[in-house]
Amino acid sequence: MTEANSQGSIERRSRIEVPMSRPDIGESEIEAVNQVLRTPYLSIGPMLERFEQAMAQFVGARHAVGVSSGTAGLHLCVVAAGIGEGDEVITTPFSFVASANCVLYERARPVFVDIEPDSLNIDPRRIEAAVTSRTRAILPVHAFGQPADMDAILEIARRHNLLVLEDACEAAGAEYRKRKAGALGDAAVFAFYPNKQITTAEGGMIVTNRDDWNELFRSLRNQGRDVFDTWLRHSRLGYNYRLDELSAALGVAQMERIEELLTKRDRVAQMYTAGLAKVPGVSVPFLAPATTRPSWFVYVVRLARGIDRDRVIQELQARGIASRQYFTCIHLQPFYMRMFGYREGDFPVAEEAAQSVLALPFYGAMHAEQVDYVCSHLREVICCH
Ligand SMILES: Cc1ncc(COP(=O)(O)O)c(C=O)c1O
């Protein structure tokens, strides 16, 4: 039913719906959340600590601090780093907007540096030219679950006395030269929105080896209370960025299955790579040699120049297949253009990537039949271009 014939055209088959993503929730997750509901501890309870311990151990970091979202975690990293008005943070324009917004929250300036054309991560060869006397940190993003070139980034940071804050929101489980993403900089943040490798519904986790930051993060996420503060005493300006117990329980159950979840996603990525190998005009994701383990967050292909991506998205949608442009450049978001005067052409490699990327449906429970359905319809849509 689902085979392409020798001419490469597709046998007509029944339509199936393929969503963009879907969380992998089993009975153990449902049971873990239900158990919390049978206790009086819906926030600030034992599940958060268990989730934090599991994450710290998995990443190989001294500390893990659960927070209400990846964005909240990134914000706290910027606060802990003491970054403020007049400071600059070097980051990538090819990312989800939160990786630069967290710098704006503290009235500092994100300074964008263009990306590598193949890995789509910040290009370390361009970083040094962007360092000024105001630069305080580098904030690399491990885009789509592939680590940025961290050795080169850490070396530049060392030379210029800069902090390194890793946005590992898309990269739980990824490895850079056999070291886990998230254990490489001064602090890193993971995110657990339902399309991520593991989910807590909403949620995030900061990991760090710094003892002073560990305590600071715990205070900042909890309205500025220090360990010895009473409920109504606040030692510093803080936030309510706590992760609730229901989310933490979900996280604990997902962490127990993390290798299974990552392996399932890897299997789907391999099926796509094989299925798309001979689809003209489609390039499969590039993996850098330093990426000793990718952690597949999304499966993003590049379309050759001349292919109308919007039409491809529409025609796939008409066949029940979700797909989307992923990412849109941050510097071309309307409010960045207004605030900083950015224009098209400022970061050409990122812009070229943003124009050609197409994220296909991707989640660990995808069946071979669904992957095959997507690949053959993508081929048909592109070939009839
Ligand atoms: C690269 C990156 N940074 C930050 C975030 C923000 O995470 P959250 O949605 O949990 O706030 C995301 C989430 O999609 C992301 O992909």
Side-chain angles (χ1 to χ4, degrees):
M1 273 271 280
T2 60
E3 280 156 28
N5 68 20
S6 53
Q7 273 78 48
S9 65
I10 307 156
E11 300 291 329
R12 284 282 151 220
R13 72 207 52 195
S14 52
R15 178 188 157 108
I16 51 180
E17 297 293 326
V18 196
M20 215 41 226
S21 72
R22 185 172 274 187
D24 191 328
I25 301 294
E27 282 308 312
S28 60
E29 282 84 353
I30 293 169
E31 186 46 35
V33 173
N34 280 342
Q35 265 183 26
V36 172
L37 287 171
R38 292 189 196 102
T39 75
Y41 305 110
L42 302 189
S43 185
I44 315 186
M47 281 298 168
L48 178 57
E49 208 173 307
R50 278 183 58 188
F51 185 31
E52 290 175 342
Q53 277 168 7
M55 201 70 197
Q57 194 180 10
F58 177 73
V59 175
R62 281 169 67 82
H63 308 288
V65 181
V67 285
S68 52
S69 70
T71 307
L74 289 168
H75 181 199
L76 293 193
C77 286
V78 172
V79 175
I83 292 166
E85 191 147 12
D87 292 334
E88 295 176 354
V89 175
I90 292 176
T91 190
T92 168
F94 189 69
S95 175
F96 184 65
V97 71
S99 60
N101 283 354
C102 63
V103 177
L104 290 184
Y105 296 156
E106 292 303 308
R107 299 184 167 277
R109 185 184 174 114
V111 172
F112 296 117
V113 163
D114 215 341
I115 59 171
E116 298 174 325
D118 44 14
S119 75
L120 307 181
N121 279 321
I122 192 167
D123 187 343
R125 287 163 307 176
R126 298 173 191 259
I127 290 179
E128 211 134 18
V131 175
T132 71
S133 58
R134 295 173 175 185
T135 311
R136 299 290 314 282
I138 306 175
L139 197 158
V141 178
H142 307 311
F144 307 146
Q146 164 151 239
D149 187 357
M150 290 302 291
D151 280 349
I153 291 168
L154 289 166
E155 174 55 22
I156 297 166
R158 196 191 54 75
R159 271 207 301 280
H160 295 274
N161 199 21
L162 306 174
L163 294 163
V164 175
L165 308 172
E166 287 173 77
D167 181 340
C169 285
E170 303 187 350
E175 289 179 17
Y176 173 83
R177 298 189 200 282
K178 304 224 154 132
R179 288 172 283 155
K180 281 254 166 42
L184 305 166
D186 292 275
V189 179
F190 295 99
F192 309 127
Y193 187 73
N195 62 351
K196 295 291 194 299
Q197 292 87 337
I198 66 161
T199 186
T200 58
E202 296 286 356
M205 186 78 75
I206 312 173
V207 294
T208 184
N209 288 321
R210 289 182 55 157
D211 297 342
D212 56 338
W213 279 14
N214 175 42
E215 284 177 22
L216 185 54
F217 288 138
R218 289 175 190 283
S219 170
L220 289 168
R221 76 168 171 193
N222 191 22
Q223 300 285 19
R225 296 180 185 103
D226 265 339
V227 184
F228 299 110
D229 279 336
T230 54
W231 188 250
L232 291 178
R233 190 184 140 88
H234 308 273
S235 293
R236 58 180 56 78
L237 174 66
Y239 308 85
N240 180 358
Y241 284 170
R242 294 186 299 263
L243 187 69
D244 67 79
E245 285 289 285
L246 303 170
S247 296
L250 199 45
V252 169
Q254 292 261 280
M255 283 305 288
E256 278 164 9
R257 298 172 54 215
I258 190 161
E259 282 304 330
E260 175 205 328
L261 296 174
L262 294 176
T263 305
K264 280 161 93 177
R265 293 174 88 91
D266 194 54
R267 192 186 118 263
V268 175
Q270 313 264 6
M271 288 195 291
Y272 263 130
T273 299
L276 295 171
K278 294 205 182 87
V279 178
V282 173
S283 310
V284 298
F286 166 87
L287 290 178
T291 304
T292 43
R293 184 180 194 188
S295 173
W296 295 95
F297 163 50
V298 280
Y299 192 90
V300 176
V301 296
R302 306 279 294 272
L303 301 183
R305 220 171 256 169
I307 297 177
D308 180 348
R309 181 180 51 197
D310 289 345
R311 191 188 61 82
V312 171
I313 291 173
Q314 273 169 21
E315 292 199 13
L316 288 177
Q317 191 61 60
R319 295 152 191 249
I321 301 166
S323 66
R324 72 166 67 123
Q325 171 184 359
Y326 207 86
F327 301 111
T328 307
C329 287
I330 299 176
H331 67 285
L332 297 180
Q333 296 292 348
F335 76 104
Y336 275 84
M337 293 177 86
R338 275 200 309 276
M339 275 180 85
F340 298 106
Y342 288 122
R343 281 190 250 141
E344 272 182 35
D346 285 343
F347 301 99
V349 185
E351 288 168 32
E352 160 71 26
Q355 269 154 30
S356 61
V357 284
L358 182 70
L360 298 175
F362 187 74
Y363 48 96
M366 273 183 89
H367 302 300
E369 194 196 15
Q370 289 172 305
V371 175
D372 184 42
Y373 182 81
V374 176
C375 293
S376 19
H377 277 283
L378 183 60
R379 170 200 285 268
E380 194 179 67
V381 165
I382 284 175
C383 289
C384 303
H385 190 66

